[in-house]
Amino acid sequence: MNTRLLSRLLAEFLGTGLLVTVVVGSGIAASRLSHDTGLQLLENSIATALGLAVLILLFGPVSGAHFNPVVSLVDWIVGRSARNGLTLAEAGAYILAQVVGAIGGALLANAMFELPTHVATTERVTAGTLIGEVVATAGLIMLILALARSGRSAAAAPAIGAYIGAAYWFTSSTSFANPAVTIGRIFSDSFAGIAPASVLPFIAAQLVGAAIGVGLTLALFRSEKVLAEAAADVVIPQTTDR
């Protein structure tokens, strides 16, 4: 494994880990500082939106700032014809780094707030929340691909942060939209946690949403070739050699 790929994997590990730290940590803080559930969600969503935008800006030039297995899978899928996205091996390595980072991020949040690490007990699966995850993930993938396709990837950090912050509120699932983050949140029995039994249905819904997002983007932009050529800019262009 070359040093360039190692740097990218480190960026994905740190970025995804810190994202989960932001999500879980702000959820813990919100539950301690506020007694109203709506206010807790507002505090959690604002922190997540701002934190995600900062992390994209920080790590994007190194790895592209995927921080999300479905984004890495989509990057591989749409970039295959132009051969400018991730290779299958790179996508697998990205996903592993993201999942390990996400778990580490939850453990870090627990440690900062002096909470024991317990498996989450919050059951989240209903028909409505699964539909919410499909919608949230489809919208995220459409946004990322549309920005790359139209040459506006420089706007990804504020745009994606704003989308996730909004999707906390307009989706019934509060917009996990990320298998790695979903797995990481198992390890915090807090406001942001998710019980293990809810994880696989959530991830399945996210994969369905990603497929719908790719399909809708192709339908809107009507050029698989042009979309594939934009894969190198998902989420944002890397400024160092691939």
Side-chain angles (χ1 to χ4, degrees), residues 137-235:
T137 310
L140 176 64
I141 295 302
M142 287 178 66
L143 173 62
I144 290 170
L145 292 177
L147 290 172
R149 162 64 179 80
S150 59
R152 295 178 294 159
S153 291
I160 294 171
Y163 175 79
I164 293 297
Y168 259 76
W169 290 91
F170 74 76
T171 65
S172 56
S173 64
T174 67
S175 184
F176 283 46
N178 184 327
V181 170
T182 304
I183 292 169
R185 288 166 71 166
I186 295 173
F187 296 91
S188 180
D189 192 16
S190 67
F191 178 81
I194 180 171
S198 298
V199 169
L200 287 180
F202 260 55
I203 291 176
Q206 291 156 3
L207 292 172
V208 170
I212 292 171
V214 172
L216 289 175
T217 306
L218 288 171
L220 288 168
F221 291 101
R222 299 182 181 280
S223 175
E224 186 172 356
K225 180 176 183 296
V226 172
L227 188 60
E229 290 172 350
D233 292 339
V234 174
V235 169

Side-chain angles (χ1 to χ4, degrees), residues 53-68:
V54 169
L55 291 170
I56 291 172
L57 290 173
L58 177 60
F59 295 109
V62 179
S63 68
H66 292 190
F67 310 153
N68 188 333

Side-chain angles (χ1 to χ4, degrees), residues 34-160:
S34 306
H35 299 292
D36 180 79
T37 303
L39 185 55
Q40 292 171 0
L41 185 61
L42 178 63
E43 293 161 347
N44 192 208
S45 64
I46 291 173
T48 300
L50 295 176
L52 178 56
V54 169
L55 291 170
I56 291 172
L57 290 173
L58 177 60
F59 295 109
V62 179
S63 68
H66 292 190
F67 310 153
N68 188 333
V70 295
V71 174
S72 297
L73 282 174
V74 167
D75 183 72
W76 167 63
I77 291 167
V78 303
R80 283 181 303 167
S81 60
R83 297 185 178 180
N84 63 349
L86 295 177
T87 65
L88 181 58
E90 288 173 338
Y94 263 49
I95 291 169
L96 179 61
Q98 291 157 358
V99 171
V100 174
I103 295 170
L107 299 180
L108 176 59
N110 291 338
M112 287 196 298
F113 287 92
E114 300 181 348
L115 290 177
T117 296
H118 293 308
V119 172
T121 56
T122 303
E123 299 283 353
R124 295 182 181 269
V125 171
T126 67
T129 57
L130 295 180
I131 293 170
E133 277 301 282
V134 171
V135 170
T137 310
L140 176 64
I141 295 302
M142 287 178 66
L143 173 62
I144 290 170
L145 292 177
L147 290 172
R149 162 64 179 80
S150 59
R152 295 178 294 159
S153 291
I160 294 171

